[in-house]
């Protein structure tokens, strides 16, 4: 498999000399195309900072990040917005759907911005809607949909442009357990059927157990890595819980 993401000795500091937070402290790892990777760690360990640096929303203090071979840490603002539109998909905790657009329009918007033809847009939206089982809600507005449907529409929107990498920060954080499970099943569809490479931040072991590999971070450093391999989800879940307890700190915060 080919490498899609390379995080190379990245540091991110917030604040100034007298009051410095090392949110990321010499972190390095790679992600291959087609992987479904989770990032876990206690609150304040640097998960969101890491995702924001990868998604080019935030800039690194030191180190380099490559996505699909491009060094994103050296792109100029205009190149960055183009890069984000073309190469990245985002799934936010609060869905971020536009209330005045239907599900179809929400999904189609990213393709419209990329100036794709109406025919191609229709074909792509219909195909992704079928895969995620939301064909029946395409004409509905967000207020007419359940939480699980909104999250699947948000997943469809993230994947419809065929991004190199889909990024999700605590995507199940606002969902009840049934909707969370449905969302994670759609992530599996995105990953297995549609070939999406996904990187998902979560502090929840159940959510993480859907991943193939988990990076654990502690105080902005890579602390441990778990690979699911041939484990069942339950076996993987148990291993995750073990590492989480090793991570120490406030366990309630992680589990
Ligand atoms: N914009 C910011 N300004 C200053 N400190 C920040 C900022 N964002 C995050 N931090 C600090 O960086 C550390 C990591 O935060 P974050 O990445 O949000 O952690 P997590 O997502 O794992 O909970 C924390 O100590 C946090 O207080
Ligand atoms: Mg966070």
């Amino acid at each position: 498999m080919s490498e899609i993401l390379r995080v190379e000795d990245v540091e991110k500091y917030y604040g100034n000399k007298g009051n410095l937070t090392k949110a990321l402290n010499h972190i390095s790892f790679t992600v291959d195309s087609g992987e479904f990777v989770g990032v876990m760690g206690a609150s304040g360990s640097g998960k969101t900072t890491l995702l924001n640096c990868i998604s080019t929303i935030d800039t690194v203090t030191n180190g380099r990040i490559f996505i699909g071979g491009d060094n994103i840490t050296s792109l100029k603002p205009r190149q960055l917005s183009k890069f984000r539109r073309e190469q990245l998909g985002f799934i936010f905790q609060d869905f971020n759907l536009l209330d005045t657009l239907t599900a179809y329009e929400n999904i189609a918007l990213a393709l419209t911005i990329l100036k794709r033809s109406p025919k191609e847009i229709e074909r792509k939206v219909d195909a992704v809607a079928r895969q995620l089982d939301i064909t029946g809600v395409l004409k509905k507005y967000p207020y007419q949909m359940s939480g699980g449907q909104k999250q699947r529409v948000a997943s469809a929107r993230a994947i419809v442009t065929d991004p190199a990498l889909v990024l999700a920060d605590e995507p199940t954080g606002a969902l009840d357990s049934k909707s969370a499970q449905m969302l994670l099943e759609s992530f599996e569809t995105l990953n297995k059927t549609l070939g999406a490479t996904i990187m998902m931040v979560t502090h929840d072991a159940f959510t993480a157990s859907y991943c193939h590999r988990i990076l654990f971070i502690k105080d902005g450093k890579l602390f441990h890595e778990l690979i699911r391999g041939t484990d069942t989800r339950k076996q993987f879940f148990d291993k995750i819980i073990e590492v989480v307890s090793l991570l120490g700190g406030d366990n309630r915060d992680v589990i």
Side-chain angles (χ1 to χ4, degrees), residues 209 226-237 239:
S209 70
L226 268 186
I227 295 170
R228 177 158 157 192
T230 56
D231 282 357
T232 64
R233 210 160 48 65
K234 176 70 174 79
Q235 287 167 328
F236 197 42
F237 174 85
K239 287 185 185 167

Side-chain angles (χ1 to χ4, degrees), residues 6-252:
R6 168 175 291 264
V7 172
E8 217 174 71
D9 205 18
V10 164
E11 293 175 273
K12 175 67 184 180
Y13 300 164
Y14 288 115
N16 48 36
K17 229 177 165 194
N19 180 23
L20 195 70
T21 304
K22 290 188 177 181
L24 297 175
N25 196 354
H26 297 284
I27 192 161
S28 300
F29 61 91
T30 62
V31 172
D32 279 348
S33 170
E35 277 200 278
F36 182 7
V37 177
V39 177
M40 289 192 86
S43 175
S45 58
K47 304 184 294 296
T48 295
T49 304
L50 176 64
L51 212 72
N52 286 349
C53 287
I54 293 170
S55 65
T56 74
I57 288 165
D58 209 342
T59 54
V60 304
T61 307
N62 287 304
R64 300 189 300 174
I65 299 175
F66 295 87
I67 297 178
D70 289 318
N71 181 359
I72 59 158
T73 38
S74 70
L75 293 180
K76 307 242 163 16
R78 259 188 61 187
Q79 297 170 307
L80 276 179
S81 52
K82 183 174 187 295
F83 181 85
R84 269 201 293 270
R85 279 199 305 270
E86 293 178 356
Q87 303 292 333
L88 300 177
F90 296 94
I91 296 170
F92 303 93
Q93 186 181 105
D94 50 2
F95 318 125
N96 272 20
L97 295 177
L98 298 174
D99 291 333
T100 54
L101 299 184
T102 63
Y104 182 94
E105 290 162 344
N106 264 286
I107 301 168
L109 186 61
L111 293 169
T112 311
I113 293 169
L114 290 176
K115 298 195 174 66
R116 302 289 168 81
S117 74
K119 243 197 175 134
E120 185 186 349
I121 293 177
E122 197 181 325
R123 188 170 52 75
K124 289 213 147 167
V125 176
D126 284 345
V128 79
R130 230 175 304 123
Q131 297 282 2
L132 291 169
D133 201 17
I134 45 170
T135 304
V137 302
L138 285 179
K139 293 200 174 91
K140 291 189 175 178
Y141 289 89
Y143 78 90
Q144 298 169 312
M145 296 183 242
S146 71
Q149 287 168 339
K150 279 193 264 195
Q151 194 58 284
R152 276 182 287 151
V153 171
S155 304
R157 180 187 56 187
I159 193 72
V160 77
T161 54
D162 293 323
L165 188 61
V166 174
L167 299 164
D169 194 354
E170 305 274 9
T172 57
L175 299 178
D176 60 75
S177 61
K178 182 151 182 293
S179 302
Q181 192 170 346
M182 278 166 64
L183 175 73
L184 290 162
E185 282 163 12
S186 5
F187 275 31
E188 283 190 326
T189 307
L190 291 187
N191 176 250
K192 281 195 193 128
T193 316
L194 301 169
T197 310
I198 304 175
M199 186 157 174
M200 170 175 79
V201 162
T202 182
H203 65 273
D204 175 65
F206 174 78
T207 300
S209 70
Y210 278 80
C211 298
H212 302 156
R213 177 159 70 108
I214 300 174
L215 306 172
F216 293 88
I217 57 173
K218 183 176 183 176
D219 302 330
K221 292 184 186 149
L222 203 57
F223 171 80
H224 192 65
E225 182 183 57
L226 268 186
I227 295 170
R228 177 158 157 192
T230 56
D231 282 357
T232 64
R233 210 160 48 65
K234 176 70 174 79
Q235 287 167 328
F236 197 42
F237 174 85
D238 291 340
K239 287 185 185 167
I240 294 167
I241 293 288
E242 263 173 49
V243 178
V244 163
S245 60
L246 279 177
L247 270 170
D250 184 355
N251 274 354
R252 280 164 305 175

